[in-house]
Amino acid sequence: MPPRRRDRRRLRDPSPPSSDARAPPSALGLRLTLLVPLLILVLVLAALGFSGLLSHSPPHSQTLQTTAHSVYERGLVKRDVSAREILSEHTRVSENRSQRNFANPVLAYVTPWNSKGYDMAKLFITKLTHVSPVWYDLKRLVLEGEHNFDAKWVSELQTNGSLVVPRIVLEALPAVLLFEKKQKAKAIDIIVSECRDKGYDGIVLESWSRWAIYGVLDDQELRYMALEFVKQLGEALHSVNSKSSSHHLELIYVIPAPRMQKLNNQDFGPKDLMHLADTVDGFSLMTYDFSGPQNPGPSAPLKWIHHSLAALLSAKGSSHSNSHSRMIFLGINFYGNDFLLSGGTYNLSLSFSSFLLT
């Protein structure tokens, strides 16, 4: 067993920086934390599987164990949960996996590089309304990732009542996708056809961060065209009925959490939400990866989550903030970061783990 690692990092204020003091860059990748500031919010649980350290294998058992007691009975649901408790308890789950303690929809991402996630999705299927396998990329109007498709696994999830909505990352060049009507229509047709052919219940679309890189979001006309593409995709999906349910195909859109107190062009704001609200079924808010190697710290501080939600739902003159809040899947990371600091010491930043599903 390796020696205990001491945390010598000074705590920092997790409040978003002001607009004239940009936050240091950090990975805006997929993953998440739990703390639901509003009861009406929808939850997202990502990267199903067992958590551990990034730089070293954890000195704790990774074999799933069952217990007759829930996380509430074991005293694990509290404000001051420790990293030690997470590491020692994350593989221990309640024998009663059929009871749901969260009434709103729950979306879980499952990644191909974490093979345990496929089994975890089936194990906790009664707690998940949506499952999103991270399978696809749309590049040069070619959908890559079809080899990941597992018909048996998808069927098992749908048979047990979950909707399967694979994630698609939009990698196609904006110049092709947004300006050329035929190419736009082709891209939408490719996505809808894949849902029909594979029997999916819709998709999770990720494109905002790519559009930010290409400068699309800095130009109002281009930004409008980008939002219109998402709307048209949503309308096309809604025109098709799901094979596994009585509803139309769904579109869930991935959006970044703002990094500053004042929103900038790269942020997805309340006006953007209003633009898409009628044709998108949900928004997957990336309230995770607040810290990174250049600025070690917590993965998803509560003050930052509060700010992100308040900024997104602050549309002036809108009477729909309550209904819009119900569309938001709040991101929760099921992993922790182990940072090696310059002094040779370690900082362990862990978030809630898979025992939360129990």
Side-chain angles (χ1 to χ4, degrees):
M1 178 180 294
R4 183 183 303 173
R5 296 164 183 170
R6 292 174 293 174
D7 184 358
R8 296 180 180 175
R9 169 179 52 85
R10 289 190 302 170
L11 294 177
R12 62 188 180 90
D13 186 356
S15 301
S18 60
S19 57
D20 58 348
R22 294 188 63 87
S26 62
L28 284 179
L30 216 82
R31 303 309 145 237
L32 309 93
T33 320
L34 170 81
L35 282 172
V36 184
L38 298 176
L39 295 178
I40 55 178
L41 286 178
V42 181
L43 227 54
V44 183
L45 309 179
L48 281 177
F50 301 121
S51 64
L53 311 185
L54 296 184
S55 56
H56 294 269
S57 298
H60 300 271
S61 172
Q62 297 294 288
T63 303
L64 191 67
Q65 304 171 9
T66 58
T67 174
H69 304 290
S70 70
V71 288
Y72 296 96
E73 295 169 326
R74 282 144 58 197
L76 297 172
V77 181
K78 55 186 179 180
R79 286 183 176 273
D80 58 346
V81 62
S82 68
R84 182 181 295 276
E85 287 175 306
I86 290 175
L87 287 174
S88 63
E89 296 286 344
H90 78 287
T91 58
R92 193 174 302 168
V93 301
S94 173
E95 294 173 350
N96 181 7
R97 292 188 294 273
S98 61
Q99 180 179 349
R100 289 198 66 191
N101 298 309
F102 186 75
N104 292 339
V106 177
L107 164 69
Y109 291 98
V110 178
T111 59
W113 54 87
N114 181 4
S115 59
K116 290 182 179 179
Y118 293 103
D119 293 331
M120 292 296 102
K122 291 192 294 183
L123 188 65
F124 295 102
I125 191 60
T126 58
K127 297 178 181 290
L128 309 175
T129 59
H130 298 68
V131 178
S132 181
V134 180
W135 283 347
Y136 292 99
D137 297 282
L138 185 63
K139 299 179 179 179
R140 303 182 185 87
L141 298 187
V142 175
L143 195 61
E144 299 182 0
E146 292 183 58
H147 63 280
N148 291 312
F149 175 65
D150 186 332
K152 182 180 179 181
W153 180 77
V154 169
S155 178
E156 285 185 61
L157 297 181
Q158 292 175 332
T159 300
N160 285 281
S162 285
L163 302 180
V164 178
V165 286
R167 191 199 70 176
I168 298 178
V169 178
L170 207 58
E171 300 278 9
L173 292 175
V176 174
L177 198 63
L178 303 181
F179 287 102
E180 301 182 23
K181 291 184 178 180
K182 290 184 178 180
Q183 301 298 335
K184 181 193 299 185
K186 181 179 179 182
I188 292 174
D189 182 65
I190 288 173
I191 293 172
V192 175
S193 295
E194 185 70 5
C195 290
R196 279 203 194 99
D197 296 342
K198 299 296 192 296
Y200 295 137
D201 301 291
I203 68 161
V204 173
L205 180 69
E206 182 174 347
S207 65
W208 197 261
S209 59
R210 270 66 180 176
W211 287 338
I213 292 173
Y214 285 109
V216 170
L217 306 178
D218 295 318
D219 183 283
Q220 288 302 311
E221 183 178 355
L222 290 178
R223 189 188 191 102
Y224 177 82
M225 294 173 67
L227 291 169
E228 282 297 300
F229 171 82
V230 179
K231 283 192 67 171
Q232 291 174 32
L233 175 59
E235 290 169 354
L237 289 167
H238 289 176
S239 69
V240 179
N241 289 327
S242 168
K243 294 180 180 179
S244 68
S245 70
S246 58
H247 302 290
H248 57 64
L249 299 182
E250 295 189 3
L251 172 61
I252 297 172
Y253 191 56
V254 178
I255 56 176
R259 294 276 165 162
M260 300 183 296
Q261 291 179 354
K262 184 178 180 181
L263 298 181
N264 60 33
N265 290 338
Q266 281 69 47
D267 291 319
F268 185 93
K271 291 183 179 179
D272 302 311
L273 186 147
M274 293 285 289
H275 194 128
L276 298 180
D278 292 337
T279 50
V280 170
D281 300 281
F283 297 93
S284 180
L285 181 61
M286 299 191 292
T287 41
Y288 43 80
D289 288 350
F290 177 80
S291 305
Q294 295 178 331
N295 193 13
S299 298
L302 182 57
K303 290 176 67 175
W304 175 55
I305 294 176
H306 277 166
H307 164 77
S308 299
L309 292 168
L312 189 59
L313 299 172
S314 63
K316 294 182 179 179
S318 173
S319 59
H320 304 289
S321 59
N322 183 57
S323 60
H324 290 162
S325 65
R326 294 178 181 272
M327 300 177 68
I328 297 175
F329 289 86
L330 180 66
I332 303 173
N333 50 296
F334 269 28
Y335 62 90
N337 295 320
D338 189 9
F339 298 109
L340 177 62
L341 304 184
S342 58
T345 60
Y346 287 90
N347 164 53
L348 183 62
S349 173
L350 282 176
S351 297
F352 295 84
S353 188
S354 51
F355 64 68
L356 285 172
L357 282 174
T358 66

